[in-house]
Amino acid sequence: MKLVADAIKGTQDALPKESYKWHYIEKVAKNVASRFDFKEIRTPVFEKTELFQRGVGDTTDVVQKEMYTFNDKGGRSITLRPEGTAGAIRSILEHGLFNDALPIKAYYITSCYRYEKPQAGRLREFHQFGVECVGAKSPIADAEVIMLGNSILEQLGINNISLEINSIGCPKCRAEYTKALKKYFSDYKEQLCETCLSRLDRNPMRILDCKSPVCSKIAENAPVILDYLCDECKEHFEKVKSYLTSANIQFTVNPKIVRGLDYYTKTVFEFITTEIGAQGAVCAGGRYDGLAEELGGPALPSLGFAMGLERILLLMEKQGCEFPDDDVADIYIATMGEKAKMKAIELCKTLRDEGFSAVTDYSDRGIKAQMKYANKIGAKFSIVIGDNEIDSGKATLKNMLTGENTEVEIDGDFVNTLYKANTQNILTDIENTALF
Ligand code: HAM
């Protein structure tokens, strides 16, 4: 088959037969977020380029190398969002939400765009579930946000994830650290890549997350920020650790985590797996106390995280996690003849109005082929309607899971019988699950 155009490199389709997995992950994530009283925020897929230059930072890989930036027809520079935080904060500031009760707790499910080298778990269009807690200074907020991420991973049934945390300090302690980094990396000027060389003066911390093998080797022995924290940052970090401990959340301190975006201050964290290849961070985030001011708003100490949904899906499939499929049809109505088709379309309407998902044949197939289709789509019940059934007003409702047959009056007890049989299926399912 020669298509006019195939999919763009680094993008993926979520196909109808797989979409229930996405729905499930999104449902669990939203559900857990609402237990922490987070509410959804939706922001545009594109923003003014300056938002990311200022917000994410113009010495980051994301801004320097990975953004999808273009001029629109009005000559404005526009960028497809590479991440969700900058847009969410822009929106919160623009709508003055900081005048309401603080903190503002928002979550989002968004597509993001980064021109990276595609590989397993690294795409050019990917999706994030993210949360932002805006206007919360206390270290208890750090622990809560980390717990939220942890709960989602747990509820999805994911195992073997390690939580690594660090503190990258505030501008005050960062000044001393930057000096130490400059001194350290100056000895390697000849070997650093061109981008890192340009970062040496402006933002040497960015050299620490350069993806070039040479720069990352040099970075291995660089000074670590934890040795430079001021008293306030140290105390904040100690409290975050003790809150996590009291919530029974296991973590390790990894002093090498610096994160790839410039807005972070104090606590940063990553949930890591070794089971899906090199791209092991499935959820990552941290505190960004200066971002709101950087974007022109008031001081709003804030923090959040985002999880890569493709990575979550990959990991769940790898670990054989369950994806309950609520999206299957309740009933397939097979038909023989024109009269039956008329009846089927009437029944479909009644059933759908009652909340069932009902399917009938669109392809003039024989009964055998129709039943094969009903099986393939995993319909829970089926019914065959032909001239006999229409004349007698009776048909057989088949439970496709148990094989049980029940006689129903097509215009009488049909909907009720289906209700009862469906409820019985659900109860059996619950009993079976409870046995484990
Ligand atoms: P990030 O670490 O750049 O942080 O991305 C968060 C997560 O998105 C990663 O841990 C990963 O799971 C996923 N991700 C990132 N890039 C890709 C990619 N190219 N392909 C597939 N998945 C990817 C942020 O985006 C911050 N905005 C998180 C945050 C929210 N910090 C505070 N609030």
Side-chain angles (χ1 to χ4, degrees), residues 82-85 108 114 116 121-124 126 128 131-132 259 261 263-264 281-286 288 303-308 310-311:
E83 54 99 57
T85 309
Y108 49 82
R114 295 185 194 175
E116 292 193 85
R122 193 204 272 160
L123 293 146
R124 289 183 176 168
F126 60 98
Q128 286 186 340
V131 306
E132 310 298 347
R259 311 279 301 122
L261 314 165
Y263 48 63
Y264 290 110
V282 290
C283 172
Y288 48 89
L303 78 158
F305 69 71
M307 45 181 67
E310 284 81 1
R311 291 187 193 173

Side-chain angles (χ1 to χ4, degrees), residues 153 158-161 272-276 282 310-321:
L153 299 171
I158 295 173
N159 293 310
N160 292 330
I161 291 269
I272 311 270
T273 174
T274 51
E275 295 176 32
I276 53 168
V282 290
E310 284 81 1
R311 291 187 193 173
I312 296 278
L313 183 63
L314 210 60
L315 182 59
M316 287 179 70
E317 285 175 340
K318 195 87 195 238
Q319 295 193 349
C321 297

Side-chain angles (χ1 to χ4, degrees), residues 380-392:
K380 296 179 204 159
F381 294 89
S382 68
I383 190 168
V384 178
I385 300 180
D387 289 343
N388 285 346
E389 283 76 12
I390 291 181
D391 291 344
S392 68

